[in-house]
């Protein structure tokens, strides 16, 4: 007979304890321990894993063949790029994101583009009819895609054994449960045990598995932190539901770079790959409009131009308002302090609103120069020339610090027809200006940039 016992598990890192404690000794978070009922199996009974386990034996390092594994083409350039060139056989990939952001749509349309692979789609959240309706909306239907609605891990392994698929998709990991643990689906123990068992299956059979996961209110992957350690790749699918753009970024990748980024546009018939995001993120005409500056940003390894919009007005109420959409509000407050202290612009009694057009969230410090230029443009009600682009990080003493990959930023601006590019003076070293059709304006301090923009 299996013995039942109660343990307390940290919902943040997965550390367990026989009694409740206020502060987790592993991760240091307070009040994260929750009660779990665990069944302890007899030692002579092995848990059902659904696969035949082969005993491993030590191998000398020099005898191991290190050939590059052939990657599976997902027939999606953005997804292939974020994965590092395609899906590695035997890898476990976790895709997380907010409800309704398009995770299932992304996975389903990827599945429908792979008619040469036999795919098993395990759904624990939707019925087969709902999946069929989504597939019809996404147009093409693959004949080699098997759909099964199941939440038991042991039954899923039976379906895998019967169909012998090339790729397994589980939507979502929070709905799957194993009979070896008594707790409910989605609990810390269930998520940890099911994902560990699926990882063992993926590695021993060389079958790639795609997991879809939920996120919590903080925006991180729901479940124990150990879930992100178990899987090979963690992809975050993010964006604002009120905008049509979606960004797929890699948080962890054992088989590629975490600096890659994929951009999609949400449409009625699914997600469309955006190969040139700059043309979509720039409004067609902002000539004569104050408070608009164009920044050359890099997200991942891709350069693109974004429109920075600012509005500065006199504070109607006592405390001036500060609001930023798509940009760190604390960094904006720092830039406003630099403008006031180093440059002498009095903005203490002004409302300042900042917006990154297109619903993007940008963390690149190189857009600092565009942010303060847009703020100053709105404050003076003087428009910046529409054919001017800029990149530069602002220091606390008012200097413009160099930024990385400046050639890519300049190349993107030149490709889209911009005539002038403001850049940090230090970044001018090593750039062959003879080959460029765009005029480079090196600036060392914030005052020099303002003189170059407004005369």
């Amino acid at each position: 007979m299996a013995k039942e016992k109660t343990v307390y598990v940290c919902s943040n890192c997965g550390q367990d304890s026989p009694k409740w404690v206020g502060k987790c000794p592993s991760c240091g978070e307070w009040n994260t321990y929750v009660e779990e009922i665990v069944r302890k199996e007899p030692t002579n009974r092995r848990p059902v894993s659904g696969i035949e386990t082969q005993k491993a034996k030590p191998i000398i390092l020099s005898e191991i063949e290190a050939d590059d594994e052939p990657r599976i083409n997902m027939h999606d350039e953005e997804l292939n790029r974020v994965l590092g060139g395609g899906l590695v056989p035997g890898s476990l990939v976790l895709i997380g994101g907010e409800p309704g952001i398009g995770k299932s749509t992304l996975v389903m349309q990827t599945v429908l583009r792979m008619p040469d692979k036999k795919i098993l789609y395990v759904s624990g959240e939707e019925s087969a009819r709902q999946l069929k309706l989504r597939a019809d909306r996404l147009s093409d239907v693959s004949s080699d895609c098997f759909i099964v609605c199941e939440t038991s891990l042991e039954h899923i392994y039976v379906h895998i054994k019967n169909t012998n698929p090339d790729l397994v998709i589980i939507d979502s990991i929070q709905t799957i449960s194993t009979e070896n643990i008594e707790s409910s689906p989605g609990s810390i123990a269930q998520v940890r045990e099911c994902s560990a068992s699926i990882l063992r299956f993926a590695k021993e059979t060389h079958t790639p598995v795609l997991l879809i996961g939920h996120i919590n209110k903080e925006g991180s992957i729901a479940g124990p932190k150990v879930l992100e350690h178990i899987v090979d790749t963690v992809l975050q699918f993010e964006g604002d539901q009120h905008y049509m753009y979606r960004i797929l970024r890699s948080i962890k990748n054992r088989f590629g770079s975490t600096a890659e980024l994929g951009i999609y546009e949400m449409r009625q018939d699914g997600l469309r790959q955006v190969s040139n995001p700059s043309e979509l993120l720039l409004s067609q005409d902002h000539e004569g409009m104050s408070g608009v500056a164009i920044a050359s940003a890099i997200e991942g390894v891709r350069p693109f131009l974004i429109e920075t919009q600012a509005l500065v007005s006199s504070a109607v109420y006592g405390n001036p308002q500060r609001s930023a959409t798509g940009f760190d509000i604390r960094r904006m407050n720092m830039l406003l302090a630099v403008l006031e202290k180093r440059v002498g612009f009095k903005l203490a009694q002004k409302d300042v609103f900042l917006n990154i057009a297109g619903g993007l969230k940008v963390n690149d410090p190189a857009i600092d120069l565009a942010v303060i230029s847009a703020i100053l443009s709105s404050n003076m009600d003087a428009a910046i020339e529409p054919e001017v682009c800029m990149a530069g990080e602002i220091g606390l003493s008012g200097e413009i610090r160099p930024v990385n990959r400046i050639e890519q930023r300049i190349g993107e601006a030149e490709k889209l027809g911009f005539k002038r590019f403001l850049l940090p003076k230090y970044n001018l070293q090593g750039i062959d200006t003879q080959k460029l059709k765009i005029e480079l304006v090196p600036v060392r301090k914030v005052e020099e940039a303002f003189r170059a923009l407004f005369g």
Side-chain angles (χ1 to χ4, degrees):
M1 273 296 288
K3 295 180 181 178
E4 289 189 4
K5 68 172 185 175
T6 301
V7 296
Y8 293 86
V9 184
C10 174
S11 59
N12 187 48
C13 67
Q15 176 82 15
D16 55 6
S17 169
K19 62 180 182 179
W20 188 87
V21 289
K23 184 179 180 181
C24 176
S26 177
C27 64
E29 293 291 328
W30 285 90
N31 299 325
T32 55
Y33 272 77
V34 292
E35 184 180 2
E36 292 282 354
I37 298 173
V38 179
R39 290 178 66 191
K40 189 170 179 63
E41 298 291 340
T43 53
N44 59 353
R45 181 181 169 189
R46 297 175 61 193
V48 179
S49 63
I51 50 174
E52 296 295 329
T53 306
Q54 297 178 351
K55 290 186 177 180
K57 60 179 183 178
I59 306 173
I60 299 173
L61 182 63
S62 58
E63 294 180 358
I64 300 174
E65 296 181 3
D67 298 332
D68 289 336
E69 290 195 47
R71 294 186 180 245
I72 299 170
N73 183 13
M74 306 299 286
H75 299 282
D76 185 325
E77 290 181 8
E78 302 292 305
L79 184 57
N80 281 338
R81 181 191 293 113
V82 177
L83 288 171
L87 191 63
V88 175
S91 63
L92 185 60
V93 179
L94 175 65
I95 301 177
E98 292 181 2
I101 206 71
K103 303 183 296 295
S104 299
T105 302
L106 174 67
V107 173
M108 175 62 79
Q109 74 174 30
T110 303
V111 163
L112 299 179
R113 290 175 183 160
M114 301 171 67
D116 54 329
K117 300 289 182 184
K118 186 187 288 186
I119 298 165
L120 178 64
Y121 193 112
V122 181
S123 176
E125 297 183 338
E126 297 175 297
S127 67
R129 188 170 179 275
Q130 285 175 300
L131 294 172
K132 171 63 175 172
L133 290 172
R134 176 181 288 137
D136 290 343
R137 180 168 58 85
L138 300 175
S139 65
D140 304 322
V141 177
S142 170
S143 58
D144 281 344
C145 181
F146 294 88
I147 303 291
V148 60
C149 301
E150 185 59 72
T151 57
S152 168
L153 185 65
E154 286 73 21
H155 292 169
I156 289 171
Y157 283 135
V158 172
H159 294 306
I160 290 173
K161 203 168 185 179
N162 292 337
T163 56
N164 192 24
D166 300 317
L167 171 63
V168 178
I169 293 163
I170 296 179
D171 182 7
S172 66
I173 185 63
Q174 276 82 13
T175 62
I176 308 301
S177 61
T178 175
E179 297 171 1
N180 295 331
I181 296 176
E182 281 293 300
S183 55
S184 60
S187 64
I188 296 160
Q190 286 284 8
V191 171
R192 185 175 59 221
E193 288 300 317
C194 289
S195 55
S197 177
I198 292 167
L199 176 74
R200 193 162 58 246
F201 156 75
K203 298 301 178 188
E204 295 191 7
T205 62
H206 285 277
T207 304
V209 181
L210 279 177
L211 302 178
I212 296 177
H214 300 163
I215 64 169
N216 53 28
K217 59 183 179 182
E218 284 83 23
S220 55
I221 303 291
K225 196 69 178 174
V226 72
L227 175 62
E228 295 182 41
H229 295 295
I230 288 173
V231 301
D232 296 314
T233 305
V234 180
L235 304 181
Q236 186 92 0
F237 201 46
E238 57 191 43
D240 195 323
Q241 293 186 9
H242 302 292
Y243 290 93
M244 55 186 173
Y245 308 116
R246 302 287 184 268
I247 293 178
L248 184 69
R249 65 174 84 238
S250 174
I251 299 174
K252 170 193 174 182
N253 194 350
R254 286 178 179 153
F255 308 110
S257 170
T258 55
E260 292 290 356
L261 193 78
I263 300 180
Y264 294 88
E265 180 187 2
M266 178 63 85
R267 304 174 113 185
Q268 185 69 25
D269 56 350
L271 292 157
R272 184 183 72 85
Q273 304 170 47
V274 178
S275 56
N276 187 8
S278 298
E279 294 179 358
L280 288 174
L281 297 173
L282 296 177
S283 64
Q284 299 303 314
D285 182 23
H286 59 266
E287 189 171 355
M289 296 165 58
S290 64
V292 177
I294 307 299
S296 182
I298 285 187
E299 280 289 316
V301 295
R302 302 176 67 184
F304 53 87
L305 303 187
I306 55 175
E307 189 175 300
T308 308
Q309 302 172 344
L311 177 64
V312 179
S313 61
S314 299
V316 180
Y317 305 105
N319 294 326
Q321 299 182 65
R322 303 280 189 264
S323 175
T325 305
F327 190 74
D328 187 5
I329 183 72
R330 292 171 298 182
R331 190 162 188 86
M332 186 186 80
N333 287 330
M334 183 204 80
L335 295 174
L336 291 174
V338 170
L339 277 177
E340 184 139 352
K341 176 77 175 177
R342 303 295 181 190
V343 193
F345 289 100
K346 303 300 179 185
L347 299 171
Q349 298 304 316
K350 299 288 183 73
D351 291 338
V352 180
F353 304 97
L354 183 70
N355 178 44
I356 305 298
L360 287 180
K361 292 182 176 64
V362 183
N363 298 316
D364 189 358
I367 73 167
D368 286 354
L369 184 57
V371 168
I372 63 169
S373 300
I375 290 171
L376 188 62
S377 169
S378 178
N379 185 47
M380 298 167 54
D381 202 16
I384 297 174
E385 292 179 23
E387 295 176 340
V388 175
C389 184
M390 60 196 78
E393 181 184 352
I394 306 299
L396 290 179
S397 59
E399 83 278 15
I400 299 178
R401 300 174 58 83
V403 296
N404 62 350
R405 293 200 280 264
I406 191 68
E407 291 91 350
Q408 288 178 265
R409 300 176 194 267
I410 295 170
E412 182 74 9
E414 188 179 24
K415 186 172 70 175
L416 289 170
F418 283 81
K419 299 290 191 294
R420 296 171 70 204
F421 192 97
L422 269 68
L423 77 164
K425 195 169 186 179
Y426 184 81
N427 275 129
L428 201 59
Q429 299 177 6
I431 298 179
D432 187 5
T433 56
Q434 302 295 327
K435 298 180 181 177
L436 298 174
K437 297 177 183 176
I438 189 171
E439 180 192 350
L440 300 183
V441 182
V443 287
R444 194 172 61 89
K445 300 186 78 175
V446 173
E447 299 96 314
E448 296 178 25
F450 293 160
R451 278 198 296 271
L453 288 173
F454 304 107

